Amino acid sequence: RFPMSRLPLLLLVPVLALAGCGGKDDDGRDLSLAETVAREVREEMARENLDVGRGKGLPHAELTPEGEMLIDGKPVGLDPAQRELAIAYRGNVAAIAEAGAGIGMQGAELAKDSIGIAINGLLSGEGTAAVEEKTKEKAKEIEATAMALCDRLPALYQSQQALAEAVPEFAPYAEMDESDIDDCHVNVN
């Protein structure tokens, strides 16, 4: 006989199944939710202006997908070499944003999977230690992905510095420094 006390847990199963739904790629292959979100971030970064900030009393600044810098909506007027640097910087920001979105979705999937693991553990009589071990294994995957994101930061920093050097109007918006790279690695560990 099935214990009625486990009924609320079973009601979560359909919700958890829906939480795992993603989209389809161009070939019709099912995508995980993380893959779907990463694709959406990539597509948005390809078509939307990148907000580079507005702090410290600075006017609003953006970089267009074509590599033009806009300050308060007005083009700065970059030459082709400067535009290439702006596009390279945008590409590095996009890679970080995509990886960050992926990590966020992995975290959501970990939460969903952990609930599933806990439900299975309760239903199978598996001990708490086994459930915790399975969850820790999944968390290590996220940690590895986060470390890979940290490893991308030097390229972002270098592209920011190159753009700031070539485009004086961008320099006040270049707030990342080398300590951000170190902090990322410390925070992941």
Side-chain angles (χ1 to χ4, degrees):
R1 181 179 151 136
F2 183 78
M4 292 306 288
S5 63
R6 293 188 181 165
L7 185 59
L9 293 174
L10 286 179
L11 295 176
L12 285 175
V13 173
V15 174
L16 295 174
L18 288 175
C21 293
K24 299 232 183 244
D25 69 5
D26 296 335
D27 297 327
R29 181 181 68 88
D30 287 331
L31 298 174
S32 70
L33 189 55
E35 290 171 320
T36 300
V37 169
R39 182 176 66 179
E40 289 173 9
V41 167
R42 185 173 42 254
E43 289 171 359
E44 182 178 323
M45 291 296 295
R47 69 176 184 274
E48 302 289 329
N49 289 352
L50 173 65
D51 187 344
V52 293
R54 60 171 110 208
K56 300 180 184 179
L58 296 171
H60 182 243
E62 300 174 289
L63 293 174
T64 69
E66 298 78 26
E68 184 61 67
M69 183 172 188
L70 306 174
I71 297 181
D72 273 342
K74 297 177 183 102
V76 171
L78 303 182
D79 65 35
Q82 292 169 317
R83 276 181 215 216
E84 286 301 314
L85 291 170
I87 290 170
Y89 175 72
R90 277 184 58 93
N92 283 311
V93 170
I96 299 290
E98 187 177 333
I103 291 168
M105 294 314 303
Q106 277 184 301
E109 287 178 1
L110 172 62
K112 175 187 65 97
D113 291 347
S114 295
I115 293 170
I117 290 167
I119 290 170
N120 286 336
L122 285 172
L123 295 176
S124 69
E126 197 172 4
T128 307
V131 171
E132 285 180 21
E133 187 59 37
K134 288 179 182 177
T135 302
K136 285 180 184 179
E137 288 173 22
K138 292 195 174 285
K140 285 181 184 178
E141 293 172 18
I142 296 174
E143 185 178 317
T145 304
M147 191 57 72
L149 182 143
C150 292
D151 292 342
R152 292 179 183 214
L153 291 179
L156 176 62
Y157 177 69
Q158 291 168 355
S159 65
Q160 176 199 258
Q161 293 306 104
L163 182 57
E165 187 176 311
V167 181
E169 295 87 349
F170 177 77
Y173 300 93
E175 295 183 349
M176 180 183 184
D177 62 35
E178 290 178 336
S179 70
D180 294 321
I181 298 167
D182 296 334
D183 290 346
C184 184
H185 285 98
V186 168
N187 291 328
V188 170
N189 289 325

